[in-house]
Amino acid sequence: EGVLPQEYTALKLKVLDWAPKAAEVLKGKIPEDASVFLVPATLRPETMYGQTCCFVGPALTYGVFKASEKEYFVVTERGAKNMAYQGVFEKEGVIEKAADIKGSDLVGTLVNAPLSFHPQVRVLPMDTVLATKGTGVVTSVPSDSPDDFAMVTELAKKADFYGIKKEWAELEVFPIIQTPTSDLLAPYLVKKLKISSPKDTKQLLEAKDIAYKEGFYQGVLKVGDFKGEKVEAAKPKVREQLIKAGDAFAYSE
Ligand code: A2H
């Protein structure tokens, strides 16, 4: 962990249809008129146009936390504790948990992904999601995140093994950011560094480092309201737009 707090954007992915297991576990625990959101924490709000799924750690335990009368958030206990002291919940400092649910039970749930070219995406498993970072929920942008691209490729290859439908992992990957080398930087780097699975940790770390720096300092948005602007300039603007629309909020740790 660094000395300065990380400023994340917490995105609200509204649940449209629960996976059967999740529906069973949560039955009667959440008011019928409330909306439930999966809430990933991201450092790259300007890439949200490219979301294709939402990752949870299948072995992690999540809570469904009451943010207000009408809204509940699915995050880790740790994430909820941080939120409670950042003015995210209606009652400052108070954590109300409606239910516990395992990540594996959430897999297959259909959620709305704000700004994405794919407005409806699935919750999918990713073993490398850390319980000790962010909210334990990670939105997947395979065009710009090598980790995400390696994982969706793996999921599509071994859909049966992961207990998912192949097509959930095969949503089209659209170019979002142009850099000097590519407009699909993550797939480009995964190929170039010969990354064949999410287990190629060392190369993935290198790819992540290159992608982050090149995307931030040399990237230009190809899509959306800030098309043509440098990532550096567009990042806070996309973030503000998401927050103003009620689709996101500031989260730090
Ligand atoms: B980023 P940092 Cl396009 N476990 O969002 C593992 N990874 C997590 C996580 C957790 N509990 N919580 C957040 N993350 C991911 C977008 C993105 C991200 C892109 C490119 C790079 C990138 C779409 N996924 O991150 O250790 C989230 O993925 C690479 C740095 O706090 C979050 O931003 O620096 C990022 O890691 C936060 O990682």
Side-chain angles (χ1 to χ4, degrees):
E1 301 235 326
V3 178
L4 294 168
Q6 283 276 29
E7 277 295 331
Y8 294 95
T9 301
L11 196 66
K12 292 163 67 181
L13 276 60
K14 185 177 174 171
V15 172
L16 304 172
D17 194 16
W18 290 109
K21 272 190 191 161
E24 200 182 300
V25 171
L26 300 176
K27 198 163 191 253
K29 296 192 173 163
I30 301 158
E32 300 256 324
D33 61 343
S35 299
V36 184
F37 301 84
L38 267 81
V39 183
T42 180
L43 292 173
R44 304 282 313 267
E46 78 283 6
T47 67
M48 295 298 105
Y49 305 99
Q51 296 173 86
T52 68
C53 64
C54 174
F55 293 127
V56 294
L60 302 187
T61 298
Y62 295 84
V64 184
F65 297 93
K66 183 176 176 179
S68 70
E69 290 302 322
K70 289 276 152 25
E71 297 195 349
Y72 286 71
F73 295 168
V74 179
V75 294
T76 53
E77 187 96 30
R78 186 184 164 280
K81 278 186 185 150
N82 286 331
M83 286 179 189
Y85 293 99
Q86 294 175 28
V88 172
F89 298 158
E90 213 165 63
K91 297 184 202 160
E92 181 79 15
V94 179
I95 298 170
E96 286 183 64
K97 186 165 69 177
D100 279 313
I101 186 160
K102 265 187 70 180
S104 53
D105 291 343
L106 290 165
V107 170
T109 294
L110 188 70
V111 295
N112 165 253
L115 278 192
S116 179
F117 288 118
H118 299 289
Q120 303 194 356
V121 303
R122 297 284 172 172
V123 176
L124 297 177
M126 187 189 217
D127 285 320
T128 53
V129 171
L130 302 166
T132 51
K133 186 191 287 190
T135 59
V137 181
V138 179
T139 194
S140 174
V141 182
S143 54
D144 291 275
S145 164
D147 283 331
D148 299 353
F149 184 71
M151 193 64 221
V152 293
T153 305
E154 165 89 357
L155 288 168
K157 243 191 260 175
K158 302 181 188 165
D160 288 345
F161 173 79
Y162 287 101
I164 62 154
K165 287 192 182 152
K166 191 171 154 67
E167 63 261 30
W168 294 349
E170 283 186 326
L171 272 61
E172 190 176 350
V173 177
F174 297 110
I176 307 299
I177 291 166
Q178 180 74 55
T179 78
T181 34
S182 177
D183 65 0
L184 285 170
L185 192 54
Y188 168 85
L189 288 169
V190 163
K191 192 170 173 210
K192 189 177 169 211
L193 300 179
K194 300 188 171 62
I195 294 164
S196 59
S197 94
K199 292 203 173 107
D200 293 336
T201 321
K202 209 177 134 230
Q203 298 102 296
L204 274 169
L205 216 62
E206 189 188 342
K208 189 157 93 173
D209 194 48
I210 299 171
Y212 195 82
K213 286 188 183 130
E214 188 170 324
F216 186 73
Y217 294 107
Q218 299 184 279
V220 174
L221 270 185
K222 282 193 97 166
V223 299
D225 287 351
F226 309 105
K227 187 174 161 173
E229 294 194 29
K230 291 180 74 179
V231 165
E232 244 180 307
K235 186 193 283 274
K237 294 182 188 174
V238 177
R239 185 176 199 250
E240 255 330 288
Q241 197 178 50
L242 282 165
I243 292 174
K244 277 221 177 90
D247 288 328
F249 54 88
Y251 173 84
S252 64
E253 59 181 41

